[in-house]
């Protein structure tokens, strides 16, 4: 199934099918879906699950605002090309000098609630996640992070219990 500006995704479970349908409905009915406007109830974001050159570890950021280990990614800010956004965010947040797509299809979809903060109301992130690989460069944390770390896929539970991150890891391992 294809969504313009996002790409293709093959849901593996009924839950994934429902999430993909929700994304498709939101994007088709909301002209500001790729904006950062929280007042419309949500927006599309792009994430990068970046594997090490040997594909045995994933690069995670210890997010400054959320104080949690997460995959790289961020807001589309009006750019209706989510694979580009995921790659751009991976570069900006990692310091790596070369990153490439392992596959262009969507790896995972996660719809989650962002709590109200200041003047911004509670809203949804329709997070579209892609599988990438670091090719060259040294990591360097951006201002958005406390730290970056290569976390071995087999040890991911030592830094996070987030089901969506563990789900991405499991998909990678099944496809290896």
């Amino acid at each position: 199934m294809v969504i313009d500006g996002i790409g293709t995704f093959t849901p593996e479970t009924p839950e994934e099918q429902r999430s993909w349908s929700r994304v498709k409905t939101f994007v088709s009915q909301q002209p500001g879906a790729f904006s950062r406007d929280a007042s419309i109830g949500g927006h599309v974001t792009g994430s990068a699950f970046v594997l090490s050159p040997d594909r045995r570890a994933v690069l995670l950021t210890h997010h400054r605002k959320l104080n949690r280990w997460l995959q790289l990614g961020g807001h589309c800010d009006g750019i209706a090309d989510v694979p580009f956004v995921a790659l751009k965010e991976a570069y900006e947040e990692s310091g790596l000098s070369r990153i490439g797509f392992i596959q262009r299809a969507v790896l995972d979809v996660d719809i989650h609630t962002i709590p109200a903060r200041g003047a911004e109301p509670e809203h949804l992130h329709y997070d579209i996640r892609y599988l990438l690989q670091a090719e060259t460069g040294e990591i360097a944390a951006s201002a958005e992070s406390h730290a970056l770390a290569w976390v071995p896929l087999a040890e991911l539970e030592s830094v996070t219990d987030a089901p969506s991150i563990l789900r991405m890891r499991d998909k990678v391992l099944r496809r290896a």
Side-chain angles (χ1 to χ4, degrees):
M1 303 159 95
V2 179
I3 298 176
D4 192 38
I6 294 175
T8 62
F9 179 60
T10 304
E12 298 176 6
T13 66
E15 181 181 340
E16 287 185 347
Q17 177 65 48
R18 285 188 296 276
S19 293
W20 188 244
S21 293
R22 285 179 65 193
V23 170
K24 189 172 189 171
T25 299
F26 180 71
V27 169
S28 68
Q29 294 179 356
Q30 183 48 256
F34 298 97
S35 74
R36 198 174 188 149
D37 184 359
S39 70
I40 62 173
H43 38 253
V44 176
T45 57
S47 286
F49 198 71
V50 180
L51 298 182
S52 59
D54 66 5
R55 297 187 180 183
R56 293 183 183 178
V58 63
L59 184 59
L60 296 182
T61 178
H62 192 252
H63 196 277
R64 189 171 297 280
K65 286 183 184 175
L66 299 176
N67 200 31
R68 295 181 4 191
W69 287 98
L70 301 170
Q71 75 281 355
L72 307 175
H75 294 91
C76 292
D77 291 327
I79 299 170
D81 182 345
V82 187
F84 169 80
V85 169
L87 182 61
K88 177 179 79 66
E89 292 289 333
Y91 276 114
E92 289 174 0
E93 295 180 0
S94 72
L96 292 166
S97 57
R98 185 155 183 180
I99 305 168
F101 282 90
I102 292 175
Q103 64 181 36
R104 294 292 295 198
V106 174
L107 172 65
D108 190 66
V109 176
D110 190 65
I111 302 170
H112 52 271
T113 303
I114 302 299
R117 184 179 179 137
E120 189 174 80
E122 179 179 280
H123 60 283
L124 296 175
H125 274 186
Y126 294 83
D127 195 34
I128 312 301
R129 291 135 175 228
Y130 300 88
L131 183 59
L132 290 87
Q133 180 175 341
E135 296 174 12
T136 59
E138 297 296 320
I139 60 173
S142 73
E144 297 177 28
S145 302
H146 289 295
L148 290 173
W150 288 110
V151 180
L153 293 171
E155 299 171 20
L156 203 50
E157 287 91 347
S158 69
V159 297
T160 184
D161 61 358
S164 69
I165 295 174
L166 299 176
R167 183 175 65 233
M168 286 188 287
R169 185 265 323 261
D170 293 345
K171 287 180 179 185
V172 168
L173 293 176
R174 279 197 306 273
R175 296 173 187 181

